[in-house]
Amino acid sequence: MDGRLFRDVLGHYPTGVVLVTAIAADGEPVGMIVGSFTSVSLDPPLVAYLPTTSSYTFGLLRGAERFCINVLSAEQEDLCRRFAGRGDDKWAGVGWTPSPGGAPVLDGAVAWIECSTEAITEAGDHYLVLGRVHDLGVLNPMAPLLFFQGGYGRFTMSSVVAASSPDLVASIRLAEKARDDIEMLASRTGAAVDVVAAVGSDLVFVGAATGADVAPSVPTLGTRIPLMAPLGEQYVAWAGEPAAERWIRRAGVADPEVAQGLRSRLMLARERGWSLSRLDPEDELDFYQTLRDYTESELVPAQERALRDRIVQYSRSYEPVQIDPSAEYCAHSLVVPVLGKDNKPLLNIRLVNLPRPATGEQVLAWVLELRRCAASVASRLSEDARSQRLGHGTSTPGWG
Ligand SMILES: Cc1cc2nc3c(=O)[nH]c(=O)nc-3n(C[C@H](O)[C@H](O)[C@H](O)COP(=O)(O)O)c2cc1C
């Protein structure tokens, strides 16, 4: 076996990085950086790692009664390099506290797992050390340090990556072409208007206009929110079945009846061509704070799931209602899509900060205004695309 090829190919499999710690026979802390850590068994609780047989540090570790696996965070790359190196004073300035069994738990680690040695098996030029878990905990639920192709990196949610993709630039350019139309809509309705685009697996606010005496809408320009039920209904309703299924799955909907309800909701949204939300004013602060937390922090999956569950709680505010012109409604926002070639959804236009309550007749009048605006934006974009095909005019990224 060509050792370089072996290392190169296996280096394409990413790993986390842990520091295995213990108190050595001389009473001093000792630590070894390991990428070969894995969980093994739940019952009994076992984990494992593979130190090389020539490791000096493992020689110190193996005699200890208890050892501790410390899952390193992305902020601990320097510490990792120090412990993996040859220096003498690796523990200088490193904060730690003893685990219940006395092994060092590093300050700033993501998680710790305290073990005793269950078995040590020879495995070629490495040992396979099986550890029995005695105690464990999450210290800092943050992004872990990763090792891949010989380099360090960090975990990023795919939605964060998507939001910085070239699609975002294309959507901003589309929104810019809608500016005159949305400013007109804001002045005619006296409400706040947003332009929202789907970018990767998120919705991003890419345009805004405000009518007289109305506060701008709370999700400000650049805000990113997850494209999942119930958010972004008027985009997903036009984006095809795979997108609809992703939208339902991402919201964590497991109950087939609830999923079917969401599919019916999308069908109605498409038939109508508009959607209405009725968020309670007293829920607004919490809802926007949840969306802001989603946007502004660097999420790890556990946090994303918690925020997702809170967003899904607001699903009832998005349930469709039949509009009776003479009844009163507390409409929070109204949304219509801007459709391109083959009814492909390009942007959503959203009216928000509407006076509450409003008569059904007023709601239907707003819908009409919105649809006029969306039709005008669609024809402007299609005109641009045509003149671009003919070789003049400015380009319209994202079209067709
Ligand atoms: C990211 C990373 C992962 C590593 N994983 C392992 C491992 O799984 N097993 C191992 O024996 N050494 C591993 N090492 C090497 C050891 O951390 C350490 O550098 C080596 O054991 C030092 O030799 P010594 O123990 O003789 O002082 C890894 C090093 C790095 C940087």
Side-chain angles (χ1 to χ4, degrees):
M1 175 59 63
D2 175 348
R4 237 185 27 202
L5 175 69
F6 186 86
R7 267 200 286 268
D8 178 43
V9 172
L10 288 157
H12 283 71
Y13 181 66
T15 71
V17 185
V18 303
L19 184 71
V20 185
T21 59
I23 300 296
D26 63 1
E28 294 298 318
V30 58
M32 176 175 177
I33 293 294
V34 162
S36 58
F37 170 72
T38 181
S39 88
V40 173
S41 156
L42 176 62
D43 187 16
L46 299 172
V47 296
Y49 73 99
L50 294 105
T52 168
T53 51
S54 62
S55 166
Y56 166 77
T57 315
F58 179 64
L60 302 175
L61 280 170
R62 69 181 299 168
E65 206 159 288
R66 291 291 162 94
F67 65 89
C68 190
I69 303 290
N70 290 266
V71 178
L72 297 190
S73 87
E75 311 299 322
Q76 291 178 307
E77 183 180 326
D78 287 347
L79 183 134
C80 171
R81 287 181 190 279
R82 189 203 302 189
F83 272 89
R86 294 246 165 254
D88 278 340
D89 203 6
K90 294 180 180 174
W91 287 88
V94 176
W96 60 274
T97 47
S99 67
V105 174
L106 283 186
D107 293 355
V110 175
W112 60 276
I113 303 143
E114 188 204 84
C115 312
S116 59
T117 304
E118 181 82 358
I120 299 179
T121 316
E122 278 197 32
D125 54 13
H126 280 64
Y127 294 117
L128 195 158
V129 179
L130 209 53
R132 178 175 282 257
V133 178
H134 291 268
D135 212 334
L136 71 174
V138 173
L139 208 56
N140 300 292
M142 54 199 287
L145 182 61
L146 300 183
F147 194 69
F148 174 59
Q149 292 181 347
Y152 295 101
R154 65 196 299 147
F155 179 89
T156 313
M157 300 283 294
S158 50
S159 53
V160 177
V161 178
S164 59
S165 72
D167 285 2
L168 178 60
V169 176
S171 297
I172 290 171
R173 290 192 180 138
L174 287 185
E176 176 59 18
K177 291 180 197 300
R179 192 163 63 168
D180 289 351
D181 290 302
I182 63 164
E183 277 174 359
M184 170 90 80
L185 178 66
S187 81
R188 284 174 68 94
T189 56
V193 181
D194 293 317
V195 182
V196 185
V199 179
S201 52
D202 286 340
L203 294 167
V204 183
F205 286 74
V206 288
T210 310
D213 306 324
V214 161
S217 113
V218 175
T220 44
L221 274 180
T223 298
R224 182 172 58 84
I225 63 174
L227 182 51
M228 63 179 215
L231 309 172
E233 182 178 271
Q234 273 299 332
Y235 174 82
V236 180
W238 302 89
E241 203 181 310
E245 293 307 312
R246 274 199 305 277
W247 184 74
I248 294 168
R249 213 172 35 245
R250 189 168 180 201
V253 174
D255 183 339
E257 237 174 81
V258 178
Q260 199 47 45
L262 286 167
R263 284 183 205 107
S264 312
R265 225 192 252 195
L266 290 177
M267 252 161 60
L268 180 66
R270 198 179 154 108
E271 270 164 32
R272 274 181 167 172
W274 56 272
S275 295
L276 165 92
S277 85
R278 290 168 301 135
L279 192 66
D280 281 340
E282 59 264 34
D283 283 343
E284 229 166 274
L285 269 183
D286 178 65
F287 185 64
Y288 286 135
Q289 186 57 49
T290 307
L291 294 180
R292 241 194 316 275
D293 289 347
Y294 182 90
T295 309
E296 287 171 8
S297 30
E298 194 176 305
L299 299 179
V300 292
Q303 292 163 325
E304 211 249 355
R305 280 194 293 273
L307 289 178
R308 177 192 75 187
D309 289 349
R310 277 175 62 191
I311 291 168
V312 171
Q313 280 174 13
Y314 290 102
S315 207
R316 70 190 141 71
S317 313
Y318 290 80
E319 272 163 17
V321 279
Q322 281 301 332
I323 303 290
D324 170 356
S326 57
E328 286 200 327
Y329 299 89
C330 281
H332 172 254
S333 70
L334 277 166
V335 180
V336 299
V338 174
L339 300 174
K341 230 167 45 183
D342 304 324
N343 279 341
K344 184 180 154 215
L346 298 177
L347 299 166
N348 276 357
I349 299 181
R350 179 175 174 266
L351 258 189
V352 71
N353 286 354
L354 300 163
R356 282 183 274 203
T359 61
E361 192 181 357
Q362 176 63 75
V363 170
L364 293 171
W366 284 327
V367 168
L368 214 60
E369 290 280 0
L370 260 169
R371 299 186 79 153
R372 265 198 215 117
C373 175
S376 166
V377 172
S379 74
R380 204 184 286 271
L381 295 181
S382 121
E383 190 54 46
D384 262 28
R386 202 171 15 254
S387 67
Q388 200 203 341
R389 270 199 303 279
L390 293 174
H392 46 78
T394 52
S395 73
T396 310
W399 178 261

